[in-house]
Structures are given as structure tokens and as C-alpha cells.
Amino acid sequence: MFPISDVEFDNAVKRLGIMDVAGATIRQICGLAHELEQSAGEPMIHLEIGNPGLDAESIGVEAEIEALREGVANIYPPIQGVPRLKKAGKAFLKRFLDIDIDEKGIIPTVGSMQGSFTLQLLLAQRLKEKKDTMLFIMPGFPANRQQAKVLGIKTEQFDIYPYRGKALEAKLESYLSKGNVTGIMYSNPNNPAWTNLTEEELEIIGRLATKYDAIVLEDMAYFGMDFRRDIQAPGAVGSTVARYTDNYILLLSGSKIFSYAGQRIALVCIGDKVYDTKYDYLEKFYEIPRFGDAYIYGVLYVSSSGTSHSAQFALARMLEAAVEGELPFVEHCSEYGRRAERMKKLFEQNGFRIVYDMDGDEPIADGFFFTIGRDGMSGAELQKELMKHGISSIALATTGSEQEGIRACVSMVSSDEQFERLERYLKNFNNKP
Amino acid sequence: MFPISDVEFDNAVKRLGIMDVAGATIRQICGLAHELEQSAGEPMIHLEIGNPGLDAESIGVEAEIEALREGVANIYPPIQGVPRLKKAGKAFLKRFLDIDIDEKGIIPTVGSMQGSFTLQLLLAQRLKEKKDTMLFIMPGFPANRQQAKVLGIKTEQFDIYPYRGKALEAKLESYLSKGNVTGIMYSNPNNPAWTNLTEEELEIIGRLATKYDAIVLEDMAYFGMDFRRDIQAPGAVGSTVARYTDNYILLLSGSKIFSYAGQRIALVCIGDKVYDTKYDYLEKFYEIPRFGDAYIYGVLYVSSSGTSHSAQFALARMLEAAVEGELPFVEHCSEYGRRAERMKKLFEQNGFRIVYDMDGDEPIADGFFFTIGRDGMSGAELQKELMKHGISSIALATTGSEQEGIRACVSMVSSDEQFERLERYLKNFNNKP
């Protein structure tokens, strides 16, 4: 039964060879949670992993099956993407962001993970001697910085928490003015904080990206899930840095918005100006001067020779259906918002607080993630104590946050039984001597 | 009508911005062929690209559809692979190579392209300061060396043509004895030459790999397609370097043997000793000391977070069916052998010769590729003249071969009409003034 003792916890950590729980990867925490469940003889509440907690959109599954039946499995997929997917991606961006990107720049990748890995590689090459650094606006998805590290690319980062609004400008410029930043990466809505950049902040990022020739990688993994604004309402559109700079690349994944993570399918959407810019180094290295062409035929080709042929048709169909209003993906995902609202209340009733709580003067949305702190406890302590009490999560420190707390993901908690269990665990925590 | 004139040819080359036809990529040659077909007003014979020319194995397609119906699309695939696929891969290697690899080392990748890209990355890290060079036994698949280049890894290479048999030992040792080679890569059966290494040659490679701590990447993209020996006959097994060294990693792709290229699914098979070897640098860099673990959770994780969930079930099913004797994949692929025999005859009747023609004292097999030369013509000239006469191919030089000639792939030529057209084009070539 939870809570378990310090000794039991420490033994499990030792068995798994984890050197530092607060610094552990999500996969390691999953392993630890499994051990603790064995010790306690009852299930944990899993807030650590961001697996989609909904079924895959059936319209995508059906389209994928149809493509397989029509015989795409034996033919190499075009590396630049099947025409239908490129067209559907373009229409989706037009409808939900009101931006125009030429179809040539709409390119499938094996999840946004492959997108950000391969784009960082090319961003570090385009002006090789001059611009060699990726700047990450934190908190963020830890894997993105790890990608830069694996590729041998220099990184800078800062926690946006104390620099929201106007303060962002001076902070951002302090990095960009050095001239060595080739790309700026962030996720919006934010993983893990579930904050959303305001229009003021997006304008600052866009303007400075143009001024200093940095290219923005805007990760839209949770696109449309700022449930304060329904982007599927007639005439509504979402926010993006693409309205404030031509120096942008958007990462649009099917994993969360269509619950399609299993098939590893996403789109890299390269703005026309970025696509068409020619670089001497790329011409010399790949014999392909244009950034977008070098990305497809130079980098993506050697990374995996393209993305699953059938999954491309699945994503195409889901994007088309979303544009046509036939697939209410925002409504489907809003289930996460309802869970977050209910969960956050339980935490707050038991002495916890939301760490990242505001976007400008507006409370943040309820969605896929939220962040939790407790006065007088460090993030590492809080993570450990919560685990001992049956609640698994990751420490904010691993996400590049400088705040003390943990990240909670709502996706794996759905039944009333789980909510009641969460409440019981939280009460135990709050009432401990 | 083919042949077309020099002027028409040069104009098409110019329109596509190809700087050097003999050095062009396969994709560029495809583009050029398309242009020439427009000029000539009749189809070319396409020997340039290695798309599978058979339907995908239906047993795989059905398994993939079943997995999709059972609901795998919303769940992140395990990065190390689904258990069923790992088990099926192990059984396949046992049955057809008579080697034992622990299931933990059987890992799906987004085609062997992702396998060789990510493995080279890690091979260059394991003994970072000491071993920084990949050695390619040529001729080979041009993309593999390009991968090393994109990753900033040093390369060495040599054409095996003058070093077949015993002569291979001194040649190989001249590279390995420098101590800087971390990996040795080749494909067997060979792309483009369709040669097969003899047991004597595999023994030399294996023994020297052990002696100098180099890890062999054996690309088995065309496994079983040495049709001189039917590995699906009772008790028959194929050749592999794994019998001569523990320092091996096999790349087993579903693209050609099961005609499953569209779904981008392959297996990296890491020998137990390689998997379990611990490296200080990997411990420091990834906090994961073992090579195999670092590969999965360090490299593959950030490359794409795994491989299409449904495609893993497709490959698992095809491997199982091959082991059970239910899927005669060798017989299916032997269609390529029949086409090669017929085509090689047409070339030989018209004054051409096979360049890479022998394995030891045995003529090479008929299969997916063959190589063609013509006395008095360089490979570049031959490629260009054949294209003007309606036959598209790639120059051997792009494959790291030092022989003069072209590579021909049989996969896209199947109908009697195409064979008659090929014969007509070859006669035109042979009879030209």
C-alpha cells in the first residue's frame, strides 16, 4: 500500500541503477513506477508519460488501411511527401493559422522527433562558421536539447518564467545579439508548463528572429489544445510566430492532436522564405543550395528515406477532415482539459499550487500538462515524496525550468476510480505527520 | 524516338541543373530520364532505381491492417521494438543464418537507412578520440558514405574488385592496422555488383574485425537473393560474417526481401557481445554505458522515437511466416533472377560485358542488380550514351567502384514489351555508326 517507506523507495532506485531520480528520463521514471507498484501492491497514478489517452482518430486509421489495401507498401514513399498530404497540410495551415506555405515546404517526418533532429542538423550547417548555436526557450521537451547534444551542436537556454511579456525582448536580444544563434526552439502550447505565448511575445520573437537571422522552430505538438479559444469555431484561427517573421519552420505532429503517436507521423512546414534561401555551404556540401531542397534530398534522405507510406495517407485524411469540419479534433482533445481541471482542483485542495499559472494577465488553459509546486519543497523532494505516495511524475528541472516543482500529464488518468485514488493519495500526502 | 541527339540530351541536363551526370544521385537520374522521355516521346527502360518490382507480401499487409484495427495507432511504439517482432527476428536469424542473438539486440528502425545512419553516429562515439573512421568496402550504396559525411565522420574506402579472396587480408589490414577504424560496412549480396563475399573473405573480415576491434555493419538488404543457393531449402542457411566474429551488427530490411519498402521497416541486429560492451564515453555522454542500450535509448530515441507501430507487426508476421515455411520469399524474389538472366543475355549479345562477374571461381548470381561495361568506353560515356539510346542507369563511379561501367537494376522491367524495347534500344546502340 502507498505510501511506501524511504527504504523501499531507495531500494527500487538502486535496483534500476538510477543515479539521480530528479534527473532521470521519463522512460526511467516509468520503470521506477513499475517497481514501486510491485512493492506497494497497488497501482500508481501515472502523471509522468504523455502517451495519448484517447483512441486514434478512426478516420485516419481507415484511410491508412485503405492505402495499404490499394498497395502502397511496396513503393518507396516520395521523400518530400505524397502530393495529397502536402496539399492537405497547406490547407490545414491556411484554415487554422491563416498562413500560406507553398506545398513544396510541407514535408512528412517520422514524428516531430525526426523533424527537430534533422532540422537542427541543417540549421547548424547553413552558416557553419558563423551561426553554430541553438537557443531553447524553456521549459521545454528535454529530448530537443538532447538532440542538439547528440549532434554536437552548441546550445543556449533560458527559463521564460521571469521574462514573460515585454521583458522577453531584452532577454532574447541578449542571446541573439551575439550573432551565433542559428535557430530558436520552443513548444506552444508549452510542454511542460501548458503556458501559451501571447501575441506580444510571439511578435517579439518573430521580429528579433528576422533582425538577427535566426530561424524559429515552433513546435505545435499540442496545436488547438489551448481550450480557452476554439480554433475550430467559424473564422477562428490559432496563434503562431509565422505572422511576425518569415524565418519560421512549424512542427505539426499527428501524435497528440489526432492521437496518432503510434504511427510516427508529423509535418515539417518550412516557410517559403526559409525554403528558398540559398547557402554557399549547402551548395558545397550537398550540391544543393536551397535550404528546403537540402533538407529533403540531403538530410531526410539519409536519415530514413522518407516516412511510412500508409501513415502519410492517414495524416492527409485527418487534416482534410479537420479542414472540412468533419473531424472535431479540438472537441475530442478537450477531454484532456476536463481532466486537467478536475485534477488541478484535487491538488489545490490538498495544499499544492500551480507553478506556471498565467499567460500575461490571463490564467493558463487546462490541457495536456500542468505544473505543481508545494511551498517549502524543492522539485526533487516533491517528485520523490509524491512517488512514495503513489503519484508518478517528472521533476521540472529536467525540462529546463528553474522553478521548483513537477510536471503532471493528464493523459493516463481517465476513470472515476483513478480520480478517487488520486484524491486518496493526495490526502495521505497532505495529512502526513 | 530514341536515340536522341547530344543537343537534346545536354538541354535536358541543363534544364535540371545537373552539374555532372556521372556523379548525379539516383533521384536526379530519375528526373533526367523523365525529361528525356518527354523529348523522345517514348518510354525509357529504367534500370536506375531499385524500387521493389513486386507486390508487397500480402501476409504483411494483412497483419499491418489487423494491428491498426486492434488499435496500435495511438500508442507510442516501444523504441526497442514490440516483443513479437524481436522474437520473430531472433527466430529468423536462427533459421536462416544459424546464429543466436538475444532478443534485446533485435531492434526495428525506419528502414536500414535509419539503421546505418544512427549506428554510424554511435560507432563514431564509442571510442571517440581513438576510433573515428568508417571503412567502406566498395562498391556500395552511395547513401551510406553520404551518411557518414552528413554526420561529420571520417571515411576510408577501397574497391574490392582487385582484392578478392586471399588478397583481401593484406588490403583490409592496411587500413585496420592504423587503429582508427571503428566500423566496417558493406552490403552482401552486393549493391551494385551483385557479388557475394565467399566464406574465405567473410572469415578474413571477421578475424580482422576482432583483432582490431572494428565492428562490422553487414547490410543484408538482399538477403536470400543469391539464388545459386536456396536458403529456404531444408537445412540450408546463408552466409554471414557473424560466424567469424562477435563484432557484428546485421541490417535486415523488409524493403526488398518482402517488397515492403513503402512502410520503412527494417531490423538492426546487434550481436550480444557488441550490445553488452560498456564504454566510458557512452556512460559519460548518455549516462548509459552499454552500447546496445545507448543505441536504443540514446540515439534511436532522439532520431524518431521509434518505428511505425503497425509496420512492426507486418514485419513480425512476415518473418514468422518465412521461418514457418509459409512464406516462400526466396521463390518470390527469384523473379528478379529470371529477369537478370534474360537482360544480361541481351546486353552480352550486343557487345556489352558484365563487369563484376565472379565470386572466387564461381560466376556471380543473377539477381536484383548487375554491372555492365563496354570496351573502350568510360563509365560516364557509357551511361550517357545508353541514356541517349533510351536506357537509364547510374555510373559505377557513384558507387565507389573504380571500374568503368554502369549499374543496372532489373526491378522495373517485367513485361515482354519492355524486354523487346530493351533489345531494340541495345541493337540501335550496337549498330550505331
Side-chain angles (χ1 to χ4, degrees):
Chain A
M1 295 277 285
F2 288 108
I4 58 163
S5 69
D6 276 330
V7 174
E8 283 175 297
F9 183 83
D10 292 342
N11 283 343
V13 170
K14 248 180 240 159
R15 275 198 299 281
L16 293 172
I18 298 175
M19 314 214 281
D20 168 25
V21 174
T25 64
I26 295 170
R27 307 274 166 166
Q28 285 177 309
I29 296 296
C30 289
L32 180 56
H34 182 75
E35 289 283 316
L36 300 183
E37 287 174 331
Q38 302 300 313
S39 294
E42 66 176 334
M44 293 191 89
I45 294 296
H46 291 276
L47 307 181
E48 73 278 22
I49 195 165
N51 243 321
L54 307 172
D55 286 344
E57 292 292 356
S58 60
I59 208 168
V61 175
E62 291 308 320
E64 183 151 7
I65 289 172
E66 193 185 322
L68 284 166
R69 289 224 185 281
E70 282 174 5
V72 299
N74 72 327
I75 308 157
Y76 279 96
I79 300 171
Q80 72 276 22
V82 301
R84 183 173 159 192
L85 175 56
K86 297 171 83 70
K87 195 175 155 203
K90 180 182 167 66
F92 186 91
L93 296 178
K94 181 65 185 170
R95 164 59 187 89
F96 294 113
L97 288 174
D98 193 25
I99 60 169
D100 292 286
I101 299 188
D102 193 283
E103 285 176 27
K104 70 175 188 276
I106 311 284
I107 304 154
T109 55
V110 184
S112 283
M113 195 67 120
Q114 185 186 49
S116 55
F117 187 69
T118 48
L119 284 168
Q120 289 188 64
L121 193 161
L122 194 63
L123 285 174
Q125 286 184 322
R126 67 180 178 117
L127 294 163
K128 194 157 174 87
E129 304 300 322
K130 254 174 74 188
K131 291 188 180 288
D132 59 3
T133 300
M134 284 293 302
L135 173 62
F136 294 90
I137 301 179
M138 307 304 291
F141 181 38
N144 290 140
R145 279 176 305 148
Q146 180 68 12
Q147 292 176 320
K149 184 180 168 187
V150 169
L151 291 167
I153 300 169
K154 292 180 193 157
T155 61
E156 298 258 26
Q157 61 178 89
F158 66 92
D159 183 349
I160 196 175
Y161 187 83
Y163 304 103
R164 297 295 304 260
K166 266 215 170 346
L168 182 60
E169 176 150 3
K171 183 66 179 174
L172 199 54
E173 198 150 20
S174 74
Y175 293 96
L176 297 181
S177 61
K178 293 182 204 158
N180 63 339
V181 172
T182 183
I184 304 169
M185 182 160 194
Y186 58 82
S187 62
N188 199 45
N190 184 274
N191 169 5
W194 211 253
T195 46
N196 277 271
L197 294 167
T198 62
E199 292 297 326
E200 179 187 32
E201 290 162 342
L202 290 168
E203 189 276 334
I204 291 169
I205 295 170
R207 178 163 39 83
L208 294 182
T210 303
K211 181 173 174 188
Y212 292 104
D213 187 17
I215 293 173
V216 181
L217 293 193
E218 189 173 67
D219 183 358
M220 310 196 305
Y222 306 95
F223 182 68
M225 293 195 214
D226 176 357
F227 301 114
R228 295 171 301 187
R229 290 157 194 85
D230 179 2
I231 57 159
Q232 284 200 301
V237 293
S239 296
T240 174
V241 77
R243 259 196 284 288
Y244 304 105
T245 182
D246 291 331
N247 280 1
Y248 69 88
I249 302 173
L250 312 179
L251 301 174
L252 181 69
S253 171
S255 295
K256 303 302 190 321
I257 66 175
F258 300 134
S259 299
Y260 223 74
Q263 300 301 90
R264 317 303 310 119
I265 179 82
L267 291 178
V268 156
C269 309
I270 305 180
D272 295 352
K273 194 204 135 206
V274 174
Y275 193 104
D276 287 326
T277 302
K278 294 180 179 179
Y279 294 96
D280 290 343
Y281 187 81
L282 301 185
E283 176 156 17
K284 204 179 70 185
F285 191 87
Y286 295 106
E287 298 183 24
I288 308 175
R290 287 203 301 178
F291 185 90
D293 295 336
Y295 180 62
I296 298 169
Y297 304 105
V299 183
L300 277 186
Y301 172 55
V302 298
S303 301
S304 68
S305 286
T307 301
S308 161
H309 215 158
S310 63
Q312 293 193 38
F313 287 94
L315 183 57
R317 183 71 191 95
M318 294 186 287
L319 294 167
E320 288 162 3
V323 169
E324 289 157 12
E326 192 187 333
L327 173 57
F329 71 100
V330 172
E331 190 189 308
H332 292 180
C333 293
S334 64
E335 164 65 13
Y336 296 131
R338 289 186 288 275
R339 293 185 195 173
E341 188 188 357
R342 197 168 162 190
M343 258 190 234
K344 283 158 88 170
K345 248 183 223 144
L346 291 178
F347 273 97
E348 286 174 327
Q349 285 163 358
N350 285 286
F352 299 86
R353 60 183 171 74
I354 307 301
V355 179
Y356 291 85
D357 57 345
M358 300 291 283
D359 289 329
D361 48 14
E362 194 180 15
I364 65 161
D366 291 323
F368 203 69
F369 298 113
F370 57 92
T371 55
I372 285 292
R374 193 173 178 99
D375 291 337
M377 291 185 82
S378 72
E381 283 168 342
L382 183 57
Q383 181 197 25
K384 179 181 166 180
E385 288 305 315
L386 279 171
M387 289 200 87
K388 282 167 51 190
H389 283 80
I391 299 165
S392 179
S393 67
I394 64 168
L396 275 183
T398 62
T399 69
S401 166
E402 290 170 9
Q403 314 312 312
E404 298 296 345
I406 56 104
R407 180 191 84 170
C409 176
V410 306
S411 67
M412 304 305 282
V413 180
S414 56
S415 69
D416 284 338
E417 191 276 333
Q418 286 173 310
F419 276 97
E420 283 154 25
R421 184 182 294 278
L422 173 62
E423 184 165 19
R424 178 152 53 83
Y425 290 169
L426 288 172
K427 279 188 178 154
N428 286 343
F429 187 108
N430 199 31
N431 298 332
K432 75 178 164 182
Chain B
M1 296 279 283
F2 288 107
I4 58 163
S5 69
D6 275 331
V7 174
E8 282 176 297
F9 183 83
D10 293 341
N11 283 343
V13 170
K14 248 180 238 158
R15 275 198 300 280
L16 292 172
I18 297 175
M19 313 212 283
D20 168 27
V21 174
T25 66
I26 295 170
R27 307 275 167 165
Q28 285 177 310
I29 296 297
C30 290
L32 179 57
H34 182 75
E35 288 282 317
L36 299 183
E37 287 175 330
Q38 302 300 311
S39 293
E42 66 176 333
M44 293 192 88
I45 293 297
H46 290 276
L47 306 181
E48 73 277 23
I49 195 166
N51 242 321
L54 308 172
D55 286 344
E57 292 292 357
S58 59
I59 208 168
V61 174
E62 291 309 319
E64 184 152 6
I65 289 172
E66 194 186 322
L68 284 165
R69 289 226 185 277
E70 281 174 6
V72 301
N74 71 328
I75 307 158
Y76 279 96
I79 300 169
Q80 72 275 22
V82 301
R84 182 174 159 191
L85 176 56
K86 296 170 83 70
K87 196 176 153 202
K90 181 183 165 66
F92 186 90
L93 297 178
K94 181 65 186 171
R95 164 61 188 89
F96 294 114
L97 288 175
D98 193 25
I99 60 169
D100 291 286
I101 298 189
D102 193 283
E103 285 177 25
K104 69 176 188 275
I106 311 284
I107 304 153
T109 55
V110 184
S112 283
M113 194 68 120
Q114 185 186 48
S116 55
F117 187 68
T118 48
L119 284 168
Q120 289 188 63
L121 193 161
L122 193 63
L123 284 174
Q125 287 184 322
R126 66 179 178 117
L127 293 163
K128 195 159 173 86
E129 304 301 322
K130 253 175 73 188
K131 291 191 181 286
D132 59 3
T133 299
M134 284 293 303
L135 173 62
F136 293 90
I137 300 180
M138 307 305 292
F141 182 39
N144 290 140
R145 279 176 305 148
Q146 180 69 10
Q147 291 175 322
K149 183 180 168 186
V150 169
L151 290 167
I153 299 170
K154 293 180 193 158
T155 60
E156 298 258 27
Q157 61 178 88
F158 66 91
D159 183 348
I160 196 176
Y161 187 83
Y163 305 102
R164 296 296 305 259
K166 266 215 172 342
L168 182 59
E169 176 150 3
K171 183 66 178 174
L172 200 53
E173 198 149 21
S174 73
Y175 293 96
L176 297 181
S177 61
K178 294 181 205 159
N180 63 340
V181 172
T182 183
I184 304 169
M185 184 161 191
Y186 58 82
S187 63
N188 198 44
N190 183 274
N191 169 6
W194 210 253
T195 46
N196 278 272
L197 294 168
T198 62
E199 291 298 325
E200 178 186 32
E201 290 161 343
L202 290 168
E203 189 277 333
I204 291 169
I205 295 170
R207 179 163 39 83
L208 294 182
T210 303
K211 181 172 175 188
Y212 293 104
D213 187 17
I215 294 173
V216 181
L217 293 193
E218 189 172 67
D219 182 358
M220 309 196 306
Y222 306 94
F223 183 68
M225 295 194 212
D226 176 357
F227 301 114
R228 295 171 302 186
R229 290 157 194 84
D230 179 2
I231 58 159
Q232 283 199 302
V237 292
S239 298
T240 174
V241 77
R243 258 196 284 289
Y244 304 104
T245 182
D246 290 331
N247 279 3
Y248 69 88
I249 302 174
L250 311 179
L251 302 174
L252 181 68
S253 171
S255 295
K256 302 301 189 322
I257 67 175
F258 299 133
S259 299
Y260 223 74
Q263 300 302 89
R264 315 303 309 119
I265 180 81
L267 291 178
V268 157
C269 309
I270 305 181
D272 294 352
K273 196 207 134 205
V274 174
Y275 192 104
D276 287 327
T277 302
K278 293 179 179 180
Y279 294 97
D280 290 343
Y281 186 81
L282 301 185
E283 176 156 19
K284 205 179 71 184
F285 191 87
Y286 294 106
E287 298 183 25
I288 308 175
R290 287 203 300 180
F291 185 91
D293 296 335
Y295 179 62
I296 297 169
Y297 304 106
V299 183
L300 277 187
Y301 173 55
V302 299
S303 302
S304 69
S305 286
T307 301
S308 161
H309 216 158
S310 64
Q312 293 193 37
F313 287 94
L315 183 56
R317 183 71 191 96
M318 294 186 287
L319 294 168
E320 288 162 3
V323 169
E324 289 156 12
E326 193 187 333
L327 173 58
F329 72 98
V330 172
E331 190 188 309
H332 291 180
C333 292
S334 65
E335 164 65 14
Y336 295 131
R338 289 185 288 276
R339 293 184 194 173
E341 188 188 356
R342 196 167 163 190
M343 257 190 234
K344 282 158 88 171
K345 246 182 223 145
L346 292 178
F347 273 97
E348 287 175 327
Q349 284 163 358
N350 285 285
F352 299 86
R353 61 183 170 75
I354 307 301
V355 179
Y356 291 85
D357 57 345
M358 300 292 282
D359 290 328
D361 49 13
E362 195 180 16
I364 66 162
D366 292 322
F368 204 68
F369 298 114
F370 58 92
T371 54
I372 285 293
R374 193 173 178 101
D375 292 336
M377 290 185 82
S378 72
E381 283 169 343
L382 183 57
Q383 181 197 26
K384 179 180 167 180
E385 288 304 313
L386 280 170
M387 287 200 88
K388 283 166 52 189
H389 283 79
I391 299 164
S392 179
S393 67
I394 64 167
L396 275 183
T398 63
T399 70
S401 164
E402 291 171 6
Q403 315 312 312
E404 298 296 346
I406 56 104
R407 180 191 84 171
C409 176
V410 307
S411 68
M412 304 305 281
V413 180
S414 57
S415 69
D416 284 338
E417 190 276 332
Q418 286 173 311
F419 277 96
E420 283 154 23
R421 183 182 295 277
L422 173 62
E423 183 165 19
R424 178 153 52 83
Y425 289 170
L426 288 172
K427 279 188 176 154
N428 285 344
F429 187 109
N430 199 29
N431 298 332
K432 76 179 164 179

